[in-house]
Structure formats: structure tokens, C-alpha cells
């Protein structure tokens, strides 16, 4: 089911509440579709947004790529590489390579409105609630001056002193990934810097995972801890974005993580604070 406005979205939510139906609110359905749902509700037709005075106000279904493109044409940057809708971006609150300099989506969100069966709540704390508390309907996001150029420096088989040096130079992006037994670093800057032994390219490095269901996440934010987690779990692929606070492991040995007492969780697993809020704001459990 497609909805076209906040009013229509609220009617669907209220109807599900009164009829005891379970719904999942999605943007365009590319990320995180769950089973056991009576109705999938898509906000992709709620695609209005407006850029004004250095911010963008948008409905939940607005395309993040379209916002990023229009902002860029005005010399501004929306600091995320997410490829879905604004609602999906804020529901997941997941880091992108640009999180090194600009933080996670919650950090560049001014406010967000979430619809529950009882009405709307304007509360930033609901960013990252994975859609289990209510449906994000509208938000205002900060935009930043767009760098005139971005250069990315890359190197294989990095060691801790490499990472420390790159950190000291205030990168826009500091991404370390692991594959095939090697750690590689990708560090992006808005200016040319003097680094020996690195290849240089323009643009921002991307992270591509073909199946998000094979990801697990471990909390941490330093290179030595990342290496330890990788050595324990032997993932097919792994990455860490500095200042994201997490390590992402793909096809990891979770039994070895358990044996080493390393806590992990899945990408769609909500935080405990949002589980508690769900008991209060979604007592009948209509949101999947």
C-alpha cells in the first residue's frame, strides 16, 4: 500500500491499531523488509522536500540521492551515501564513510516527526528506532558547505602508526576494511596532503555489501580492537569507519565471537531504549 501524505499515513496507522493488524512502514522497500506482516505501507509517494537556508525539510519518502544532488548543485553537502528514502535513513541511523567528519544521521538531524496510533511526536531520540516505535513522517536535516574537491589516499597492509598519522590530519573519511587477509585504509581529505606509499584518487570511498542479512556488528572504534575482532571471527569481509563506533563483519564466525565474549548484534536489531519505548508508544505491537 502506498500513502501520499502524513494524514493518509496516520489514518493507516490508526486503522491498524483499531483492527489489531501488524504493519511495516517502508520507504521504497529496498532495505529491511520483514515477514509476518499484514500490510506493507510504502512512503515513496511522500517524496516532497525543500532546501532552504542551509537545511532540507523533507517527507519520509523523499529520495536521499535526489536531495544530495540538488544540494550539491547549490554548493551544499548532505553527508550520507545512503541510497534510500529519508525515512529509511533516519530509521536505521546507520553510518556512512562520511560519518568520520559529519557523524551519523542523528547528528545532522535537527528534528524528526514520528507518527504513532495516538498522533505525532517530534522527538530526535526516535532516530534509529528501526520503525518499531512509529513511522517517521517528516524531518529537517542540516546541510554543510560542499568541499571543492575530495582526494582519497589508499594503502594496503596498514599498521597502527599509519592510522594514527591519518587521524592526526583530520580526515573527512577514515575507512579501514579487511578482505583476503589484508587490511586496507582509505582516507579522504578536502585538500592535497603529503603521504608516501599511498595511491591517490578523487572522490569518496564506498562500502558495498551484497547481502545485508550476513552482517553482524560489534561495538568499537579503534584499529587494534578492529583487528582483534577480525582475527577472532575470520569474516569474509569487514569494515570500520572511524567515529562510527562500530565494526561491521560479513560472513563472520559468530560462534567464535561468543567464545571470546565479544558481543554482537544484527543491523536490524533495535536498541534496548527503543524496545522500552515501544512498550509505551506501541502497546498493541502494530509496528513490525
Amino acid at each position: 500500500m502506498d500513502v501520499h501524505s502524513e494524514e493518509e499515513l496516520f489514518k493507516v496507522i490508526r486503522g491498524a491499531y483499531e483492527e489489531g493488524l501488524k504493519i511495516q512502514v517502508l520507504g521504497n522497500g529496498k532495505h529491511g523488509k520483514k515477514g509476518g506482516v499484514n500490510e506493507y505501507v510504502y512512503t515513496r509517494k511522500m517524496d516532497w522536500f525543500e532546501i532552504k537556508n542551509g537545511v532540507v525539510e523533507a517527507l519520509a519518502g523523499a529520495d536521499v540521492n535526489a536531495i544530495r544532488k540538488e544540494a550539491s548543485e547549490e554548493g551544499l553537502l548532505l553527508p550520507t551515501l545512503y541510497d534510500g528514502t529519508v525515512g529509511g535513513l533516519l530509521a536505521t541511523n546507520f553510518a556512512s564513510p562520511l560519518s568520520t567528519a559529519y557523524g551519523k544521521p542523528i547528528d545532522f538531524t535537527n528534528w524528526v516527526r514520528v507518527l504513532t496510533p495516538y498522533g505525532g511526536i517530534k522527538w530526535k531520540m526516535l532516530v534509529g528506532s528501526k520503525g518499531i516505535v512509529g513511522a517517521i513522517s517528516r524531518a529537517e536535516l542540516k546541510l554543510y558547505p560542499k568541499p571543492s574537491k575530495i582526494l582519497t589516499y589508499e594503502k594496503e597492509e596498514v599498521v597502527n602508526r599509519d592510522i594514527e598519522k591519518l587521524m592526526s590530519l583530520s580526515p573527512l573519511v577514515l575507512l579501514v576494511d579487511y578482505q583476503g587477509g589484508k587490511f586496507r585504509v582509505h582516507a579522504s581529505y578536502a585538500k592535497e596532503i603529503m603521504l608516501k606509499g599511498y595511491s591517490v584518487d578523487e572522490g569518496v570511498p564506498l562500502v558495498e555489501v551484497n547481502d545485508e542479512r550476513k552482517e553482524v556488528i560489534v561495538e568499537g572504534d579503534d584499529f587494534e580492537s578492529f583487528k582483534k575482532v577480525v582475527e577472532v571471527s575470520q569474516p569474509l569481509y569487514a569494515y570500520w569507519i572511524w567515529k562510527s563506533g562500530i565494526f561491521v563483519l560479513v560472513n563472520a564466525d559468530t560462534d567464535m565471537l561468543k567464545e571470546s565474549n565479544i558481543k554482537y548484534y544484527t543491523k536490524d536489531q533495535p536498541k534496548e531504549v527503543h524496545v522500552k519505548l515501544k512498550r509505551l508508544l506501541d502497546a498493541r505491537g502494530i509496528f513490525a
Side-chain angles (χ1 to χ4, degrees):
M1 172 194 300
D2 284 306
V3 291
H4 299 78
S5 67
E6 290 181 282
E7 293 77 15
E8 189 176 344
L9 177 57
F10 176 70
K11 287 180 180 179
V12 171
I13 292 169
R14 185 66 191 179
Y17 174 79
E18 292 173 350
E19 296 174 31
L21 302 177
K22 186 173 286 290
I23 63 174
Q24 184 182 7
V25 181
L26 300 161
N28 49 34
K30 287 198 295 185
H31 302 280
K33 198 171 183 180
K34 301 175 185 177
V37 172
N38 297 111
E39 187 79 65
Y40 294 104
V41 183
Y42 295 94
T43 63
R44 56 197 167 195
K45 301 296 184 181
M46 294 171 55
D47 57 0
W48 172 88
F49 70 88
E50 181 180 43
I51 295 173
K52 189 176 181 181
N53 298 326
V55 301
V56 57
E57 185 175 347
L59 291 177
D63 182 24
V64 172
N65 286 330
I67 295 172
R68 193 163 50 236
K69 181 180 178 182
E70 186 171 317
S72 179
E73 290 169 354
E74 297 185 23
L76 297 169
L77 173 69
L78 178 64
T80 177
L81 304 178
Y82 186 76
D83 66 347
T85 62
V86 166
L89 172 71
L90 300 183
T92 58
N93 191 38
F94 210 67
S96 81
L98 289 165
S99 295
T100 297
Y102 300 98
K104 292 183 179 180
I106 193 171
D107 298 308
F108 52 86
T109 298
N110 286 334
W111 54 261
V112 62
R113 181 183 298 157
V114 176
L115 300 182
T116 75
Y118 317 108
I121 301 173
K122 204 171 180 181
W123 195 14
K124 191 173 167 179
M125 187 178 177
L126 296 179
V127 172
S129 55
K130 307 291 193 296
I132 69 165
V133 175
I136 290 171
S137 64
R138 184 183 292 253
E140 183 180 272
L141 310 177
K142 301 174 189 174
L143 301 174
Y144 299 83
K146 178 186 172 185
S148 58
K149 65 177 179 180
I150 297 179
L151 298 174
T152 294
Y153 295 78
E154 299 180 321
K155 184 180 180 181
E156 284 193 354
E157 301 189 32
V158 292
V159 295
N160 202 48
R161 64 177 177 271
D162 296 319
I163 304 300
E164 291 174 354
K165 172 66 175 177
L166 295 168
M167 286 177 173
S168 71
L169 297 170
S170 301
L172 296 175
V173 174
L174 182 56
L175 165 68
V176 181
D177 61 11
Y178 168 86
Q179 191 170 29
K182 294 181 180 180
F183 290 92
R184 299 176 300 171
V185 65
H186 316 260
S188 302
Y189 300 88
K191 60 183 179 181
E192 190 171 352
I193 58 176
M194 298 301 295
L195 286 173
K196 292 183 179 180
Y198 290 78
S199 62
V200 186
D201 201 357
E202 293 188 6
V204 175
L206 301 176
V207 174
E208 295 184 11
V209 177
N210 293 327
D211 190 348
E212 295 178 355
R213 293 171 298 179
K214 296 179 179 179
E215 294 180 349
V216 296
I217 297 163
V218 174
E219 294 185 350
D221 212 17
D222 65 273
F223 183 53
E224 289 301 320
S225 297
F226 180 52
K227 285 198 301 181
K228 177 185 176 182
V229 167
V230 166
E231 288 165 4
V232 166
S233 64
Q234 292 296 303
L236 183 66
Y237 176 71
Y239 69 90
W240 161 53
I241 299 162
W242 182 37
K243 296 188 178 179
S244 70
I246 59 171
F247 310 135
V248 182
L249 313 173
V250 181
N251 276 6
D253 187 335
T254 54
D255 289 334
M256 290 303 298
L257 289 173
K258 290 176 184 176
E259 285 185 22
S260 300
N261 294 317
I262 297 174
K263 294 181 180 180
Y264 67 91
Y265 56 92
T266 59
K267 195 171 185 178
D268 62 351
Q269 188 172 334
K271 292 187 175 181
E272 182 60 29
V273 64
H274 294 130
V275 173
K276 290 179 179 178
L277 284 171
K278 181 176 178 66
R279 297 175 192 141
L280 175 65
L281 299 176
D282 184 27
R284 294 190 183 179
I286 71 164
F287 292 106

